[in-house]
Amino acid sequence: MMAEEETEKFYLQKEEIVVESDDEYQYEEVPIDEIFIGTEPDEDLDIAVRTIREAEEDALATSQKDSQGKASVTQRPEVVDDFVRNFLVRMNMDKTLECFQTEWYELQQRGLLHEEDIGVVPDIYSRNQDLDHEVKFLKHEVAKYKEAAMKAKETYVKLRKERDYHRMHHKRVVQEKNKLINDIKRLKRHYAQYEPTLQQLKKKYEVAMKEKMLSKLEKDRAVGQVAGLQSTLKSMESFKGTPPSGFQTASQSAQRRNWEVDEAGRGPTQRTLAVERMKVMSGDMRDLPENYSRHPTDSEFPKDTGINPMLAQIKGPTGHLARSGGFRLSNTFQAHSHPISSVVLHPRKQILATTSDDHTWKMWAVPSGDIIMTGEGHTDWVSDCDFHPSGSKLVTASGDTTVKIWDFSKAECVHTFTDHTHAVWGCTWHTCGDFVASCSMDNTCKLWDLNSLRCRFTMRGHADSVNSIEFLPYSNTLLSCSADKTISLWDGRTGLCAQTFYGHMHSVNNATFSLKGDTVVSCDSYGTVKLWDVRTVAPMVSFDVGPHPANRVAFDPTGAVVAIASNDATVKMYEVSNGRIGTLVGHEDAVQCLMFDKTGEFMVSGGSDNTVRIWS
């Protein structure tokens, strides 16, 4: 309505028109172009009518063409009753719709409805309805987008967790990489230290070969002197008289007969050394000088009776020893900060001693693993230890070329032997407690006297590093093994080699006796283990637990099971009777040492993972 009022407004204004005279205006003459002057057609009424009709037909055709090209939709306004009906139908209000129609028609028939009441629905209602439809549509879209947003949120949380996991994994990989880099650098520095040592060893080897040739010449010269002394001693014997025929024991007589039988096939040096050794073994000291003891405080070697009182305590293999898989891991404790090199059990108490590359030795209560004592004094790695037979002392061997004696009552080191020129690999007590034997990288074994505190014998014979040494219990016999692939038996009273076992193809890492003393077990750096018969000096059994090195071997007290400490972080259990091999898994790095309890009820092992593990 407002628009119609605005279009109907008008204003009145008075204007005066000035009439100008044309008399004074100068007109210009326009020339007529003859080209545009044509002949005027003759006027005709029919032609004019036809022209007008053709123009109308053209206009009609043009309008029809335009209407066909553009489709138009004419929206008719909706009346009030139709609007209400559509609303009730859309809302499913059928009963209300029937009531509305009945009442509407009654009012219409009576004429009570006015024209303005039943007219077209105002535009505002239609607009509100359209807006309502649009609002519903937009709400539906909002719900869809909200659901999509929740899914995106879940995906984002999942991706963030994966990112944190990969970030943590990356940090762990970086730490492991840095650790490996540090280990590689340390190993490079460690290997670099070996080069001057190898050069020094090469020079010493050349010097030793020269000394060997000189010693051979001196030995031949000494043979003549010994022969002269023998003749002198025999002449002295004729004045003292001969002992009665029953003075020697049956075993000593048998030994003399064996030596006499073999004497025909020996050279002069071997015969002379054999005679001297036979005299000492038989206890016949009449042919030796009266001042045979070269030091006033030297200890006397006990006689070899051949009886081991420990054998009477062994009744037979227990149930779990009858099968190699019978042992189970019962306890584990962290013993050192560096790899453990040896373990040894106290002869009388439930106490364990361990040595390590951290330059210390420690004593522990077993099986609880409580620390008792720590020994510090070595300046390099400690390779081996052994308890005194009474349990009151401890001997340790170290890479600093020393052998130390520790007294528990004084809680200190009471003596240090320093005669070795290279690292000492092993040490062992004699059953009498007066002697200690050690083996070294200088290719020798040494026998130390604890009373005179000196080296009684240096046992030379191995051509390479001597890796382990052990006294046969209640005997003067020593067992050693070497990197020259051999195993040797020595007489501790003379320092001479009695027998040598050949058969290994690689460096022998360890060798030990069975409790009976009739069998020796040895292992080498390629995992080959051999059992030897001491009487026949021949291998009984050979088996392979490689390709990893076998570091240590041990018999159980009955001799029925052999335990092997392997470099593959396992302990191998070999049953002598049937040859079955079992595996004990528990260590996380190479197993370096192990030992059985004297009753055979449990076994102790130590490894490069710095832990001690008890199997029972």
Side-chain angles (χ1 to χ4, degrees), residues 160-368:
R160 187 171 61 182
K161 290 181 180 179
E162 291 180 355
R163 181 202 64 185
D164 295 339
Y165 169 79
H166 289 297
R167 182 179 294 172
M168 181 178 63
H169 180 68
H170 173 70
K171 289 181 179 179
R172 183 166 66 249
V173 170
V174 170
Q175 291 176 356
E176 293 177 355
K177 183 191 75 172
N178 294 334
K179 182 180 178 182
L180 290 174
I181 290 174
N182 293 331
D183 291 342
I184 290 173
K185 290 180 180 179
R186 181 174 56 83
L187 289 175
K188 285 183 178 179
R189 291 194 300 268
H190 184 66
Y191 290 148
Q193 296 175 359
Y194 279 100
E195 187 63 26
T197 305
L198 292 175
Q199 296 295 334
Q200 185 180 4
L201 289 174
K202 185 176 180 180
K203 292 180 181 178
K204 288 186 176 182
Y205 174 75
E206 294 174 355
V207 173
M209 293 301 295
K210 294 179 182 179
E211 292 178 353
K212 179 181 178 182
M213 296 301 297
L214 295 175
S215 299
K216 187 176 181 180
L217 296 175
E218 292 177 359
K219 181 183 69 174
D220 293 336
R221 186 164 54 249
V223 168
Q225 296 177 359
V226 170
L229 290 174
Q230 288 295 323
S231 60
T232 304
L233 291 173
K234 288 180 181 179
S235 62
M236 293 173 62
E237 184 180 358
S238 61
F239 291 99
K240 294 182 181 180
T242 58
S245 59
F247 181 76
Q248 296 178 346
T249 63
S251 61
Q252 293 171 347
S253 301
Q255 289 177 352
R256 282 188 176 276
R257 286 195 298 271
N258 293 336
W259 283 97
E260 290 171 358
V261 170
D262 296 339
E263 189 176 0
R266 295 174 177 169
T269 304
Q270 293 176 337
R271 285 199 300 270
T272 304
L273 294 176
V275 169
E276 294 294 336
R277 182 173 181 273
M278 193 61 198
K279 288 178 180 178
V280 176
M281 291 178 63
S282 62
D284 187 4
M285 304 298 294
R286 294 177 301 101
D287 295 337
L288 298 177
E290 294 180 359
N291 58 348
Y292 182 75
S293 181
R294 300 179 183 178
H295 196 277
T297 59
D298 274 350
S299 303
E300 292 292 336
F301 281 95
K303 292 184 178 180
D304 270 344
T305 60
I307 298 174
N308 185 352
M310 297 294 294
L311 294 175
Q313 302 177 10
I314 305 301
K315 299 179 181 180
T318 58
H320 65 274
L321 285 178
R323 58 188 189 280
S324 60
F327 281 101
R328 293 291 182 271
L329 181 63
S330 60
N331 192 16
T332 301
F333 57 90
Q334 186 87 10
H336 291 271
S337 60
H338 287 69
I340 298 173
S341 53
S342 72
V343 293
V344 62
L345 290 165
H346 194 280
R348 299 180 181 179
K349 300 179 181 179
Q350 293 293 328
I351 294 175
L352 173 72
T354 61
T355 62
S356 170
D357 291 353
D358 61 6
H359 307 180
T360 66
W361 59 268
K362 296 182 180 181
M363 283 203 306
W364 311 83
V366 289
S368 63

Side-chain angles (χ1 to χ4, degrees), residues 115-179:
E115 186 66 26
E116 62 272 10
D117 295 331
I118 61 175
V120 179
V121 178
D123 293 340
I124 187 65
Y125 294 109
S126 300
R127 180 61 179 168
N128 288 339
Q129 187 177 11
D130 295 337
L131 290 176
D132 183 59
H133 290 312
E134 187 175 359
V135 168
K136 290 182 179 179
F137 173 77
L138 291 176
K139 286 183 178 179
H140 181 67
E141 292 294 320
V142 166
K144 288 172 57 178
Y145 287 124
K146 186 179 292 185
E147 183 180 0
M150 293 301 296
K151 291 183 179 179
K153 183 179 179 181
E154 293 175 357
T155 305
Y156 169 73
V157 172
K158 181 179 178 182
L159 291 175
R160 187 171 61 182
K161 290 181 180 179
E162 291 180 355
R163 181 202 64 185
D164 295 339
Y165 169 79
H166 289 297
R167 182 179 294 172
M168 181 178 63
H169 180 68
H170 173 70
K171 289 181 179 179
R172 183 166 66 249
V173 170
V174 170
Q175 291 176 356
E176 293 177 355
K177 183 191 75 172
N178 294 334
K179 182 180 178 182

